[in-house]
Amino acid sequence: MEPVEVRRSSRARRWRLEAPWGEPARLTVPQRMSRLEVERVLARQQQWIVRQRERQVPRLNLDRLAVSESEARTAARELVGALAEEAAAELGVGFRRIRIGAQRTLWGSCSPRGNLSFNWRLVLAPFEVLDYVVVHELCHLRVLDHSARFWRLVEHHRPAWREQRAWLREHGPEVLAFRPGP
Ligand SMILES: [Zn+2]
């Protein structure tokens, strides 16, 4: 049985269990949940954790020692910058700044004021996937939400966007959990 870190939170309304790739499983429970209840949840959810772990099998052959984070960040900045310039021209939008970050769960984001942020780990994904994420965020400068209008816009500019999104769903957790070597 895998050990589970239990955290009590005054904001939690109900329990929430996570088993992130490469990290210990975590159970967040409301402040007042009794020990007995916590133990019951843990016992009942062991199988769920096992199933998550079974899916977390590396398949991308990412080599921790072959990647330096600072080099990857530089590459991400250059590549994302160039793609964003291109896509902005294509879409007829302007953006302000691009930040390259190390978000744990996000590939990219876009503020209404036009500040873009991208995860450096995108350089570990196929080029088409990175390109899709950049175009996706820039499309948000035209349509902020994920409405049908937004997806039509994405589709117009990147007709194969579903493939890239499917790749992210399948392999994204492995890429997000990637930690470069020392
Ligand atoms: Zn979006």
Side-chain angles (χ1 to χ4, degrees):
M1 260 203 219
E2 179 179 331
V4 179
E5 217 177 287
V6 178
R7 288 182 189 168
R8 293 193 174 267
S9 154
S10 49
R11 281 179 310 163
R13 289 263 194 86
R14 58 171 310 234
W15 62 265
R16 186 164 53 95
L17 181 61
E18 297 158 287
W21 190 301
E23 285 176 40
R26 274 196 299 274
L27 177 68
T28 308
V29 300
Q31 205 67 260
R32 301 215 290 206
M33 194 163 162
S34 73
R35 269 195 73 100
L36 188 68
E37 265 181 287
V38 169
E39 255 143 50
R40 245 186 243 146
V41 170
L42 287 175
R44 245 189 281 130
Q45 299 301 318
Q46 272 303 326
Q47 272 313 305
W48 181 85
I49 297 175
V50 170
R51 279 201 306 278
Q52 299 303 306
R53 294 307 189 206
E54 276 167 5
R55 279 201 239 148
Q56 294 169 355
V57 179
R59 280 176 297 163
L60 296 174
N61 280 318
L62 300 174
D63 181 357
R64 287 185 66 225
L65 299 174
V67 177
S68 118
E69 180 167 345
S70 69
E71 278 170 29
R73 276 175 179 268
T74 305
R77 187 172 301 283
E78 281 169 14
L79 198 52
V80 166
L83 287 170
E85 295 284 352
E86 244 174 69
E90 204 180 315
L91 282 151
V93 294
F95 61 87
R96 287 156 69 104
R97 261 191 316 135
I98 294 183
R99 198 179 72 85
I100 300 295
Q103 303 91 326
R104 293 290 296 128
T105 54
L106 269 188
W107 295 111
S109 65
C110 171
S111 83
R113 301 185 60 207
N115 293 317
L116 303 166
S117 157
F118 294 96
N119 198 314
W120 71 263
R121 290 182 176 84
L122 278 168
V123 294
L124 303 170
F127 176 79
E128 293 73 24
V129 171
L130 184 154
D131 173 64
Y132 157 69
V133 173
V134 172
V135 170
H136 177 119
E137 294 311 329
L138 281 158
C139 283
H140 279 314
L141 292 173
R142 296 264 300 272
V143 185
L144 266 178
D145 52 25
H146 290 121
S147 58
R149 197 161 76 87
F150 172 80
W151 291 113
R152 274 200 302 276
L153 184 64
V154 173
E155 172 118 16
H156 181 73
H157 292 278
R158 292 297 182 275
W161 66 273
R162 281 190 182 80
E163 276 171 48
Q164 325 310 344
R165 192 178 62 171
W167 191 95
L168 285 172
R169 286 203 174 138
E170 193 178 346
H171 299 289
E174 180 177 354
V175 178
L176 286 172
F178 178 78
R179 297 265 196 299

